[in-house]
Amino acid sequence: MKRRALLSTLGVGVSSLAGCTDSIYSADGPTTSGQSNPPQQYPDGAGPDSINFSTLSSDDNTVLHTPRDHWDSYAIIYSEPPGRRRVEGNYYINSSTGEVISDLWYGAKDYRNGDTYAYVQPAKQIPEHQPREELESDPQFTYDNATDAYYRYDRHYGQIAPTNIGRHTDILDSYDWEATDTTTHHGVPVITYQLSDTEPDNSRVAPAVTGSLSLGVEDGIIYAFDITLDAEGEPRYTYTVRPAAFPDHGWVETARTVAAASKSANSST
């Protein structure tokens, strides 16, 4: 059986949390079959009472690639507890084209399709501690008065760099897991795992209160997890990969037009 990676290699720059806090048993709606149908098949790196996360992440196929076999377009959504917004939030992937849109800080978004990169930052949503002068002085950005936004557009952005999107799942590696059921996640066969030991094997990680995850039976992809740690405020982390419409991205053409006009104006002066 082919192994699929847990980690992703998509680059996005500085992004914000735009996560969803729904449990994987609510908005994501897996269909459970109960203990009458225990798991009979496991992907490489997983078993009834253990998951080897290193094995799951040992090949080049990632959560950005494998789910394309299941959905026309989909979202990868992660949430951290309030006040701990240190990683990217929502990603949207167009399965047929490979286009990716990610949510960034302060209403900004970026777009990737091959080497093409576009970025938009609505001027009204720039916070006071980040003066507009920073964008005004950056030659990579161009302000458009008609839309009151800053744009960046690059036709040869280069290779995609590492991101936090797959690393969201690193939090799971410190705990022990036990398979409890075979179920589906939006039509994708998955194995439901529950925490079997809430004490982590890493002294720097807090003990857990509750935790569950959905592991793809055929591909070893983590499709969802929901874990609450036994720390101040009982911080909860949720993650899900699920079908979703690819967002409207007319602003990408605006970014291209604005960047081209700026380049033309600069070359004529």
Side-chain angles (χ1 to χ4, degrees):
M1 181 179 302
K2 293 183 179 180
R3 295 174 295 181
R4 295 295 188 263
L6 182 62
L7 303 182
S8 163
T9 53
L10 166 71
V12 292
V14 181
S15 349
S16 75
L17 170 71
C20 170
T21 56
D22 291 341
S23 166
I24 63 173
Y25 293 107
S26 55
D28 299 325
T31 303
T32 182
S33 55
Q35 292 297 327
S36 61
N37 185 24
Q40 299 295 317
Q41 181 182 358
Y42 297 87
D44 290 348
D49 55 5
S50 65
I51 301 176
N52 185 329
F53 290 91
S54 296
T55 299
L56 291 178
S57 62
S58 63
D59 66 22
D60 294 329
N61 293 302
T62 74
V63 71
L64 286 176
H65 303 99
T66 302
R68 297 184 192 181
D69 296 335
H70 306 300
W71 307 306
D72 292 336
S73 61
Y74 60 97
I76 303 172
I77 297 172
Y78 174 76
S79 72
E80 286 187 306
R84 301 187 58 151
R85 302 180 177 184
R86 299 171 297 173
V87 297
E88 293 90 346
N90 298 354
Y91 293 81
Y92 299 89
I93 294 89
N94 184 320
S95 299
S96 61
T97 64
E99 297 168 288
V100 179
I101 290 176
S102 50
D103 294 328
L104 310 177
W105 293 109
Y106 314 123
K109 299 179 183 297
D110 73 2
Y111 166 94
R112 293 170 185 269
N113 186 14
D115 288 343
T116 298
Y117 177 87
Y119 177 104
V120 60
Q121 170 64 69
K124 291 181 180 179
Q125 293 181 252
I126 299 174
E128 293 182 0
H129 68 268
Q130 182 182 336
R132 289 180 58 161
E133 287 75 12
E134 294 183 10
L135 289 173
E136 294 282 358
S137 62
D138 190 333
Q140 296 186 22
F141 291 90
T142 303
Y143 175 72
D144 177 55
N145 187 64
T147 56
D148 191 27
Y150 290 88
Y151 295 94
R152 176 181 174 183
Y153 186 88
D154 297 299
R155 287 299 303 274
H156 304 289
Y157 188 72
Q159 295 297 317
I160 291 175
T163 183
N164 287 322
I165 190 168
R167 298 175 193 150
H168 297 337
T169 54
D170 280 0
I171 193 174
L172 308 175
D173 196 13
S174 298
Y175 305 93
D176 294 329
W177 299 89
E178 180 181 7
T180 60
D181 192 17
T182 299
T183 180
T184 60
H185 178 81
H186 297 283
V188 179
V190 296
I191 302 167
T192 298
Y193 280 83
Q194 301 287 341
L195 280 174
S196 59
D197 186 353
T198 58
E199 291 296 325
D201 56 19
N202 185 336
S203 61
R204 294 176 296 179
V205 179
V209 177
T210 61
S212 60
L213 67 88
S214 296
L215 179 68
V217 173
E218 298 177 353
D219 53 32
I221 290 288
I222 301 293
Y223 280 92
F225 73 74
D226 189 340
I227 188 168
T228 301
L229 304 187
D230 185 14
E232 184 177 354
E234 292 189 345
R236 179 184 179 189
Y237 300 79
T238 66
Y239 170 94
T240 184
V241 183
R242 67 189 186 196
F246 193 68
D248 174 76
H249 52 290
W251 59 267
V252 174
E253 179 61 22
T254 303
R256 187 192 68 80
T257 302
V258 168
S262 176
K263 182 178 180 180
S264 177
N266 291 335
S267 61
S268 63
T269 56

CSV table of all heavy atoms in Angstrom, one decimal, residues 214-246:
chain,number,residue,atom,x,y,z
A,214,SER,N,-8.6,11.2,12.6
A,214,SER,CA,-9.1,10.3,11.5
A,214,SER,C,-8.0,10.1,10.6
A,214,SER,O,-7.5,11.1,10.0
A,214,SER,CB,-10.3,11.0,10.8
A,214,SER,OG,-11.4,11.1,11.7
A,215,LEU,N,-7.6,8.8,10.4
A,215,LEU,CA,-6.4,8.5,9.5
A,215,LEU,C,-7.0,7.8,8.3
A,215,LEU,O,-7.7,6.8,8.4
A,215,LEU,CB,-5.5,7.6,10.3
A,215,LEU,CG,-4.3,7.1,9.5
A,215,LEU,CD1,-3.3,8.2,9.3
A,215,LEU,CD2,-3.6,6.0,10.3
A,216,GLY,N,-6.6,8.2,7.1
A,216,GLY,CA,-7.0,7.6,5.8
A,216,GLY,C,-6.6,6.2,5.8
A,216,GLY,O,-5.4,5.9,5.9
A,217,VAL,N,-7.5,5.3,5.5
A,217,VAL,CA,-7.2,3.8,5.5
A,217,VAL,C,-6.2,3.5,4.3
A,217,VAL,O,-5.3,2.8,4.5
A,217,VAL,CB,-8.5,3.0,5.3
A,217,VAL,CG1,-8.2,1.5,5.1
A,217,VAL,CG2,-9.4,3.2,6.5
A,218,GLU,N,-6.4,4.1,3.2
A,218,GLU,CA,-5.7,3.8,2.0
A,218,GLU,C,-4.4,4.7,1.8
A,218,GLU,O,-3.5,4.3,1.0
A,218,GLU,CB,-6.6,3.9,0.8
A,218,GLU,CG,-7.7,2.9,0.8
A,218,GLU,CD,-8.6,3.0,-0.4
A,218,GLU,OE1,-8.5,3.9,-1.2
A,218,GLU,OE2,-9.5,2.2,-0.5
A,219,ASP,N,-4.4,5.9,2.4
A,219,ASP,CA,-3.3,6.8,2.1
A,219,ASP,C,-2.5,7.3,3.3
A,219,ASP,O,-1.5,7.9,3.1
A,219,ASP,CB,-3.9,8.0,1.3
A,219,ASP,CG,-5.0,8.7,2.0
A,219,ASP,OD1,-5.1,8.7,3.3
A,219,ASP,OD2,-5.9,9.2,1.3
A,220,GLY,N,-3.0,7.0,4.5
A,220,GLY,CA,-2.2,7.4,5.6
A,220,GLY,C,-2.2,8.9,5.9
A,220,GLY,O,-1.4,9.4,6.7
A,221,ILE,N,-3.2,9.6,5.3
A,221,ILE,CA,-3.3,11.1,5.5
A,221,ILE,C,-4.1,11.3,6.8
A,221,ILE,O,-5.1,10.6,7.0
A,221,ILE,CB,-4.0,11.7,4.3
A,221,ILE,CG1,-3.1,11.7,3.1
A,221,ILE,CG2,-4.5,13.1,4.7
A,221,ILE,CD1,-1.9,12.7,3.2
A,222,ILE,N,-3.7,12.2,7.6
A,222,ILE,CA,-4.5,12.7,8.7
A,222,ILE,C,-5.6,13.6,8.2
A,222,ILE,O,-5.3,14.7,7.7
A,222,ILE,CB,-3.7,13.4,9.8
A,222,ILE,CG1,-2.6,12.5,10.4
A,222,ILE,CG2,-4.6,13.9,10.9
A,222,ILE,CD1,-3.1,11.3,11.2
A,223,TYR,N,-6.8,13.2,8.2
A,223,TYR,CA,-7.9,14.0,7.6
A,223,TYR,C,-8.6,14.9,8.7
A,223,TYR,O,-9.2,15.9,8.3
A,223,TYR,CB,-9.0,13.1,7.0
A,223,TYR,CG,-8.6,12.6,5.6
A,223,TYR,CD1,-7.9,11.5,5.4
A,223,TYR,CD2,-8.8,13.4,4.5
A,223,TYR,CE1,-7.5,11.0,4.2
A,223,TYR,CE2,-8.5,13.0,3.2
A,223,TYR,CZ,-7.8,11.8,3.1
A,223,TYR,OH,-7.4,11.4,1.8
A,224,ALA,N,-8.4,14.6,10.0
A,224,ALA,CA,-9.0,15.4,11.0
A,224,ALA,C,-8.4,15.0,12.3
A,224,ALA,O,-8.0,13.9,12.5
A,224,ALA,CB,-10.5,15.3,11.0
A,225,PHE,N,-8.3,16.0,13.2
A,225,PHE,CA,-8.1,15.7,14.6
A,225,PHE,C,-8.7,16.8,15.5
A,225,PHE,O,-9.0,17.9,15.1
A,225,PHE,CB,-6.6,15.5,14.9
A,225,PHE,CG,-5.7,16.7,14.9
A,225,PHE,CD1,-5.8,17.6,16.0
A,225,PHE,CD2,-4.8,17.0,13.9
A,225,PHE,CE1,-4.9,18.7,16.0
A,225,PHE,CE2,-4.0,18.1,13.9
A,225,PHE,CZ,-4.1,19.0,15.0
A,226,ASP,N,-8.9,16.4,16.8
A,226,ASP,CA,-9.4,17.3,17.8
A,226,ASP,C,-8.8,16.9,19.1
A,226,ASP,O,-9.0,15.8,19.6
A,226,ASP,CB,-10.9,17.1,17.8
A,226,ASP,CG,-11.6,18.2,18.7
A,226,ASP,OD1,-10.9,18.8,19.5
A,226,ASP,OD2,-12.8,18.4,18.5
A,227,ILE,N,-7.9,17.8,19.6
A,227,ILE,CA,-7.2,17.4,20.8
A,227,ILE,C,-7.2,18.6,21.8
A,227,ILE,O,-7.1,19.7,21.4
A,227,ILE,CB,-5.8,17.0,20.5
A,227,ILE,CG1,-5.1,16.4,21.8
A,227,ILE,CG2,-5.0,18.1,19.9
A,227,ILE,CD1,-3.8,15.7,21.5
A,228,THR,N,-7.5,18.3,23.1
A,228,THR,CA,-7.5,19.3,24.1
A,228,THR,C,-6.4,18.9,25.1
A,228,THR,O,-6.3,17.8,25.6
A,228,THR,CB,-8.8,19.3,24.9
A,228,THR,OG1,-9.9,19.6,24.0
A,228,THR,CG2,-8.8,20.3,26.0
A,229,LEU,N,-5.5,19.9,25.4
A,229,LEU,CA,-4.4,19.7,26.3
A,229,LEU,C,-4.7,20.2,27.7
A,229,LEU,O,-5.4,21.1,27.9
A,229,LEU,CB,-3.1,20.4,25.7
A,229,LEU,CG,-2.7,20.1,24.3
A,229,LEU,CD1,-1.4,20.8,24.0
A,229,LEU,CD2,-2.6,18.6,24.1
A,230,ASP,N,-4.1,19.5,28.6
A,230,ASP,CA,-4.3,19.8,30.0
A,230,ASP,C,-3.3,20.9,30.5
A,230,ASP,O,-2.3,20.7,31.1
A,230,ASP,CB,-4.1,18.5,30.9
A,230,ASP,CG,-4.4,18.8,32.4
A,230,ASP,OD1,-5.0,19.8,32.7
A,230,ASP,OD2,-4.0,18.0,33.2
A,231,ALA,N,-3.6,22.1,30.0
A,231,ALA,CA,-2.8,23.3,30.3
A,231,ALA,C,-3.8,24.4,30.7
A,231,ALA,O,-5.0,24.2,30.7
A,231,ALA,CB,-1.9,23.7,29.1
A,232,GLU,N,-3.2,25.5,31.1
A,232,GLU,CA,-4.1,26.6,31.5
A,232,GLU,C,-5.1,26.9,30.4
A,232,GLU,O,-4.8,27.2,29.3
A,232,GLU,CB,-3.2,27.8,31.8
A,232,GLU,CG,-4.0,29.0,32.4
A,232,GLU,CD,-3.1,30.2,32.7
A,232,GLU,OE1,-1.9,30.0,32.6
A,232,GLU,OE2,-3.7,31.2,33.1
A,233,GLY,N,-6.4,26.9,30.8
A,233,GLY,CA,-7.4,27.2,29.9
A,233,GLY,C,-7.8,26.0,29.0
A,233,GLY,O,-8.6,26.1,28.1
A,234,GLU,N,-7.2,24.8,29.2
A,234,GLU,CA,-7.4,23.7,28.4
A,234,GLU,C,-7.4,24.0,26.9
A,234,GLU,O,-8.5,23.9,26.3
A,234,GLU,CB,-8.7,23.0,28.9
A,234,GLU,CG,-8.7,22.4,30.3
A,234,GLU,CD,-9.9,21.5,30.6
A,234,GLU,OE1,-10.9,21.6,29.8
A,234,GLU,OE2,-9.8,20.8,31.5
A,235,PRO,N,-6.3,24.4,26.4
A,235,PRO,CA,-6.3,24.8,25.0
A,235,PRO,C,-6.7,23.6,24.1
A,235,PRO,O,-6.3,22.5,24.2
A,235,PRO,CB,-4.8,25.2,24.7
A,235,PRO,CG,-4.1,24.5,25.8
A,235,PRO,CD,-5.0,24.5,27.0
A,236,ARG,N,-7.5,23.9,23.1
A,236,ARG,CA,-8.0,22.9,22.1
A,236,ARG,C,-7.5,23.2,20.7
A,236,ARG,O,-7.5,24.4,20.3
A,236,ARG,CB,-9.5,23.0,22.1
A,236,ARG,CG,-10.2,22.0,21.2
A,236,ARG,CD,-11.7,22.2,21.2
A,236,ARG,NE,-12.4,21.3,20.3
A,236,ARG,CZ,-13.7,21.4,20.0
A,236,ARG,NH1,-14.4,22.4,20.5
A,236,ARG,NH2,-14.2,20.6,19.1
A,237,TYR,N,-7.0,22.2,20.0
A,237,TYR,CA,-6.6,22.3,18.7
A,237,TYR,C,-7.4,21.4,17.8
A,237,TYR,O,-7.7,20.3,18.1
A,237,TYR,CB,-5.1,21.8,18.6
A,237,TYR,CG,-4.1,22.6,19.5
A,237,TYR,CD1,-4.0,22.3,20.8
A,237,TYR,CD2,-3.3,23.6,18.9
A,237,TYR,CE1,-3.2,23.0,21.6
A,237,TYR,CE2,-2.4,24.3,19.7
A,237,TYR,CZ,-2.3,24.0,21.1
A,237,TYR,OH,-1.4,24.7,21.9
A,238,THR,N,-7.8,22.0,16.7
A,238,THR,CA,-8.6,21.2,15.7
A,238,THR,C,-8.0,21.4,14.3
A,238,THR,O,-7.4,22.4,14.0
A,238,THR,CB,-10.1,21.6,15.7
A,238,THR,OG1,-10.2,23.0,15.2
A,238,THR,CG2,-10.7,21.6,17.1
A,239,TYR,N,-8.2,20.3,13.5
A,239,TYR,CA,-7.7,20.3,12.2
A,239,TYR,C,-8.6,19.4,11.3
A,239,TYR,O,-9.1,18.4,11.8
A,239,TYR,CB,-6.3,19.7,12.2
A,239,TYR,CG,-5.6,19.3,10.9
A,239,TYR,CD1,-4.8,20.2,10.3
A,239,TYR,CD2,-5.8,18.1,10.4
A,239,TYR,CE1,-4.1,19.9,9.1
A,239,TYR,CE2,-5.2,17.7,9.2
A,239,TYR,CZ,-4.3,18.6,8.6
A,239,TYR,OH,-3.7,18.3,7.4
A,240,THR,N,-8.9,19.9,10.1
A,240,THR,CA,-9.7,19.0,9.2
A,240,THR,C,-9.4,19.3,7.8
A,240,THR,O,-9.1,20.4,7.4
A,240,THR,CB,-11.2,19.2,9.5
A,240,THR,OG1,-11.9,18.3,8.7
A,240,THR,CG2,-11.6,20.6,9.2
A,241,VAL,N,-9.4,18.3,7.0
A,241,VAL,CA,-9.3,18.4,5.5
A,241,VAL,C,-10.6,17.9,5.0
A,241,VAL,O,-11.1,16.8,5.2
A,241,VAL,CB,-8.2,17.5,5.0
A,241,VAL,CG1,-8.0,17.6,3.5
A,241,VAL,CG2,-6.9,17.7,5.7
A,242,ARG,N,-11.3,18.8,4.3
A,242,ARG,CA,-12.7,18.5,3.9
A,242,ARG,C,-13.1,19.2,2.6
A,242,ARG,O,-12.4,20.2,2.2
A,242,ARG,CB,-13.7,18.9,5.0
A,242,ARG,CG,-13.8,20.4,5.2
A,242,ARG,CD,-14.6,20.8,6.4
A,242,ARG,NE,-14.8,22.2,6.5
A,242,ARG,CZ,-15.2,22.8,7.6
A,242,ARG,NH1,-15.4,22.0,8.7
A,242,ARG,NH2,-15.4,24.1,7.7
A,243,PRO,N,-14.1,18.7,1.8
A,243,PRO,CA,-14.5,19.3,0.6
A,243,PRO,C,-15.0,20.7,0.8
A,243,PRO,O,-15.6,21.0,1.8
A,243,PRO,CB,-15.6,18.4,0.1
A,243,PRO,CG,-16.1,17.6,1.2
A,243,PRO,CD,-14.9,17.5,2.2
A,244,ALA,N,-14.6,21.7,-0.1
A,244,ALA,CA,-15.1,23.1,0.0
A,244,ALA,C,-14.9,23.7,-1.3
A,244,ALA,O,-14.0,23.3,-2.1
A,244,ALA,CB,-14.2,23.8,1.1
A,245,ALA,N,-15.8,24.6,-1.6
A,245,ALA,CA,-15.7,25.4,-2.9
A,245,ALA,C,-14.4,26.2,-2.9
A,245,ALA,O,-14.0,26.8,-1.9
A,245,ALA,CB,-16.9,26.3,-3.0
A,246,PHE,N,-13.8,26.2,-4.1
A,246,PHE,CA,-12.6,27.0,-4.3
A,246,PHE,C,-13.1,28.5,-4.3
A,246,PHE,O,-14.0,28.9,-5.1
A,246,PHE,CB,-11.9,26.7,-5.6
A,246,PHE,CG,-10.5,27.2,-5.7
A,246,PHE,CD1,-9.5,26.8,-4.8
A,246,PHE,CD2,-10.2,28.2,-6.6
A,246,PHE,CE1,-8.2,27.3,-4.9
A,246,PHE,CE2,-8.9,28.7,-6.7
A,246,PHE,CZ,-7.9,28.3,-5.8
